[in-house]
Amino acid sequence: MVRLSRIALPTGLRRALTFWRRSIQARVVVSTLLLSAIVISAVGWFLLQQIRDGLLEHRAEVVVGEVEAEVAFNRDRLSAASGTEVNASVQRANLIGPIIEAGDSRGYGVVLGGPEGNDTGLADGGAHRTSGLELSSVPERLEEHFDGDNRPTAWTYTDIVRTLPDGTTESEPGIAVGSQVLLPADGDYYTIYFLFPLTEEEETLGLVTRALLTAAGLLLVLVAAITWLVTRQVVTPVRMARRVAERLAAGWLQERLRVTGEDDLARLATSFNQMASNLQRQIRQLEELSWVQRRFVSDVSHELRTPLTTVRMAGDVLHDARRDFDPVTARAAELLQAELDRFETLLVDLLEISRFDAGAAVLDVEDTNLLDVAHRIVDAARPLADQRGVEVVVEQPERPVRAEIDVRRVERILRNLVTNAIDHAFPDDLDHPIVVRMAADDQAAAITVRDHGVGLAPGESAMVFNRFWRSDPARARASGGTGLGLAIALEDAHLHGGWLQAWGRPGEGAQFRLTLPRRAGMPLRRSPLPLAPVDEVVLAESEPEETPASEPGREPSRGVPS
């Protein structure tokens, strides 16, 4: 399985991301701010557009009315003077002069076009204009509108370009309004263009924009503060419940939430406290029951030792004198001796289990070569293997397999695994020996015991470590086991911080794997040996993903159901 390494991030950014993941209050506040900012921006843009359009429309109405009033006044003035002044040039001067002077005093520019109908534009000459005003200030589309005679007043937006005394030009937005006047002297229509700047409107729009931005900023701050306070009222009880739950999980069963009010959070706190009280009561009942059970097992085991010793002595006397008995009595003496041995072993196992249950088991670790341990166990089990007609071999590892272990406990684990393999192997099957393999890496050491016997049915690889569990109760044990061996072996493996796992298939045998850390207290991440045997042809479901255990010394799974 390919594992992606974490990207190295700066400390500040990593802390910020951690705070973001863990704080629902921060996420709610930021999300509310972002949504509020989007809504405020959309509303603000809409308001600015409405204000801008209203200002421009109002300004256009005002300037058009002013132009029409000015043009009407000049028409009346020309009509009154038409009987005495017939010179066209003088009439043009009398027309444009007062208009330009009025424009200078009122802040707008004026351009007088030539007679319409002679195909001359403003740029062709003959145009009178306010000093410094560029003819390009008049839009071409407005000129085209007044190509004929007696056209109505029209207006459009434009950029007013002026030439400054130093020769540079400046531009500002404005409104261009055009209107035609009939000159009585020559009967031609002249177009007058009035150019009104929008400076005041720009200033007003800028003031409104700044006001909206200020209001939006204050509103966002207010929304953030309100959201923070509102979420705090909800998040604070949740955080208190989390802290109390953590303390309950740590064993402080008397911890409770403080209940204030009668709202939903208060009822939730009440329900939480009731749940904690029920759990505390049940846990105490289970602890008392477990203590009574452990005490009972321990007391019974100790109390049985005295009568067992007496019965053992009597049994030894009968067993030694069995040759003097008749065959039936001699056989009874042998059965009595065998059952006494099994009974004594069962008492020892019960005492050991009671130590594990009471948490009194401790390790006495030393750096040991596991190969030597395996050879000692196999040599001790060889008479039983010869009796069953089974061969047990130890494969030589490629490198030394050393680990800090409690030798007595690891020998007990291997003894249980080897004797179980002998028990469940097919008798007189010398073609398939029981193989003990071992390997080590920098972090862990592993030992596997492989047999080709009856195997394990689906689901039994996890049940095989249960106390007194047997796959086939009707099947006789060659080694006279008590049914507690694998349960004790599993507890010994957990005590080392290791794993004990099983694999098996019906008729194909089984393999048990013991994985131990090379150094006492080191966490396990993987095993140097696969759980499924290497001689299997089909390995599709051989190896489970090995991940760190949730508790120190706890394996991720006890076995792989076939």
Side-chain angles (χ1 to χ4, degrees):
M1 179 179 177
V2 179
R3 287 191 172 96
L4 299 177
S5 58
R6 292 185 177 181
I7 301 176
L9 296 175
T11 304
L13 180 57
R14 186 166 60 251
R15 290 178 179 175
L17 291 176
T18 302
F19 176 75
W20 172 260
R21 291 195 304 268
R22 294 182 177 179
S23 177
I24 187 174
Q25 188 174 9
R27 294 200 299 272
V28 170
V29 171
V30 172
S31 301
T32 305
L33 278 180
L34 290 177
L35 293 176
S36 299
I38 294 174
V39 172
I40 291 174
S41 299
V43 173
W45 178 84
F46 176 76
L47 290 177
L48 283 177
Q49 293 298 317
Q50 294 295 316
I51 294 173
R52 174 180 175 274
D53 293 343
L55 288 174
L56 293 178
E57 290 177 1
H58 176 71
R59 180 59 176 167
E61 292 176 359
V62 171
V63 298
V64 168
E66 186 175 349
V67 167
E68 290 179 347
E70 183 69 20
V71 170
F73 172 76
N74 283 279
R75 284 174 181 167
D76 294 340
R77 185 168 56 83
L78 291 176
S79 298
S82 61
T84 57
E85 296 183 12
V86 295
N87 189 330
S89 61
V90 175
Q91 280 190 347
R92 283 198 302 272
N94 291 337
L95 172 64
I96 194 61
I99 295 178
I100 291 177
E101 291 178 0
D104 291 337
S105 62
R106 299 177 184 176
Y108 60 83
V110 179
V111 177
L112 175 65
E116 300 299 336
N118 56 5
D119 297 330
T120 60
L122 294 178
D124 297 328
H128 300 273
R129 61 182 183 273
T130 301
S131 177
L133 187 63
E134 294 292 331
L135 296 179
S136 60
S137 302
V138 179
E140 293 182 358
R141 61 180 180 276
L142 191 60
E143 287 189 60
E144 294 173 357
H145 175 74
F146 290 103
D147 282 345
D149 294 338
N150 199 19
R151 296 296 176 86
T153 302
W155 67 274
T156 186
Y157 296 111
T158 186
D159 290 328
I160 302 175
V161 182
R162 300 180 186 274
T163 303
L164 301 178
D166 58 0
T168 60
T169 60
E170 66 175 4
S171 176
E172 60 179 340
I175 298 177
V177 182
S179 185
Q180 288 185 336
V181 177
L182 176 63
L183 198 64
D186 54 10
D188 292 328
Y189 283 91
Y190 290 81
T191 305
I192 306 175
Y193 300 97
F194 299 83
L195 303 174
F196 295 88
L198 296 174
T199 306
E200 295 182 0
E201 285 71 19
E202 276 192 326
E203 293 177 354
T204 303
L205 190 61
L207 178 62
V208 172
T209 302
R210 290 191 297 272
L212 288 177
L213 290 176
T214 303
L218 294 176
L219 184 59
L220 286 177
V221 172
L222 184 61
V223 168
I226 294 175
T227 306
W228 182 269
L229 292 175
V230 171
T231 54
R232 183 180 179 84
Q233 295 179 1
V234 178
V235 171
T236 298
V238 175
R239 289 176 178 171
M240 293 176 60
R242 175 185 59 82
R243 288 193 291 267
V244 172
E246 290 175 350
R247 293 179 66 84
L248 287 173
W252 298 83
L253 300 179
Q254 73 279 3
E255 290 292 323
R256 296 293 183 271
L257 285 174
R258 185 176 61 185
V259 180
T260 56
E262 299 179 356
D263 54 7
D264 293 335
L265 292 176
R267 292 198 295 271
L268 176 62
T270 302
S271 302
F272 183 91
N273 291 339
Q274 292 176 354
M275 178 189 67
S277 299
N278 293 334
L279 288 176
Q280 182 183 14
R281 183 171 58 256
Q282 293 178 7
I283 290 173
R284 286 180 176 174
Q285 291 175 354
L286 291 175
E287 288 178 347
E288 293 174 358
L289 180 61
S290 177
W291 181 84
V292 170
Q293 180 183 8
R294 292 196 303 267
R295 183 64 182 270
F296 174 77
V297 172
S298 178
D299 291 346
V300 169
S301 301
H302 282 88
E303 292 298 328
L304 285 178
R305 280 194 172 275
T306 300
L308 178 62
T309 303
T310 304
V311 175
R312 163 66 71 181
M313 293 174 60
D316 289 342
V317 172
L318 294 175
H319 187 267
D320 292 339
R322 70 185 182 279
R323 294 182 180 87
D324 301 332
F325 300 153
D326 60 86
V328 175
T329 306
R331 178 57 180 165
E334 292 176 355
L335 292 176
L336 176 62
Q337 186 72 10
E339 291 303 318
L340 283 175
D341 291 339
R342 187 171 182 272
F343 189 26
E344 190 172 10
T345 303
L346 177 60
L347 279 179
V348 172
D349 289 347
L350 286 174
L351 282 173
E352 190 66 24
I353 284 290
S354 66
R355 292 191 189 97
F356 283 119
D357 291 340
V362 294
L363 288 178
D364 183 14
V365 298
E366 58 179 295
D367 190 23
T368 307
N369 189 347
L370 294 180
L371 182 61
D372 297 336
V373 177
H375 278 299
R376 288 199 300 270
I377 297 302
V378 171
D379 292 340
R382 188 159 283 118
L384 178 62
D386 294 340
Q387 180 183 351
R388 293 274 296 173
V390 179
E391 183 182 4
V392 183
V393 297
V394 179
E395 286 192 355
Q396 185 70 26
E398 298 179 355
R399 51 181 291 187
V401 181
R402 304 189 67 88
E404 294 180 356
I405 61 171
D406 188 328
V407 178
R408 180 180 65 86
R409 295 182 184 277
V410 173
E411 285 182 349
R412 182 164 57 192
I413 295 173
L414 290 181
R415 186 182 304 112
N416 276 287
L417 297 183
V418 172
T419 54
N420 277 340
I422 295 173
D423 278 340
H424 293 86
F426 294 119
D428 302 321
D429 186 7
L430 297 178
D431 294 333
H432 297 92
I434 297 172
V435 181
V436 179
R437 297 184 179 90
M438 61 192 67
D441 56 20
D442 295 337
Q443 296 183 353
I447 301 177
T448 61
V449 179
R450 168 73 163 120
D451 68 78
H452 295 82
V454 297
L456 295 172
E460 292 183 350
S461 55
M463 301 170 58
V464 72
F465 298 101
N466 294 342
R467 299 175 185 181
F468 300 108
W469 182 86
R470 296 181 64 181
S471 59
D472 185 5
R475 203 168 177 274
R477 292 179 179 267
S479 61
T482 63
L484 294 174
L486 288 179
I488 295 175
L490 181 63
E491 295 296 338
D492 283 331
H494 289 171
L495 197 60
H496 282 83
W499 306 334
L500 183 58
Q501 298 163 283
W503 174 95
R505 284 180 181 156
E508 299 181 17
Q511 176 164 291
F512 287 78
R513 181 182 67 182
L514 171 65
T515 308
L516 301 172
R518 290 285 304 276
R519 298 289 179 267
M522 287 181 58
L524 286 181
R525 296 291 183 269
R526 61 183 181 275
S527 179
L529 292 176
L531 179 59
V534 296
D535 54 358
E536 281 293 312
V537 178
V538 181
L539 299 176
E541 54 185 70
S542 61
E543 183 69 16
E545 180 184 356
E546 294 174 1
T547 56
S550 59
E551 297 178 12
R554 294 290 173 179
E555 78 283 1
S557 65
R558 290 183 172 176
V560 182
S562 57

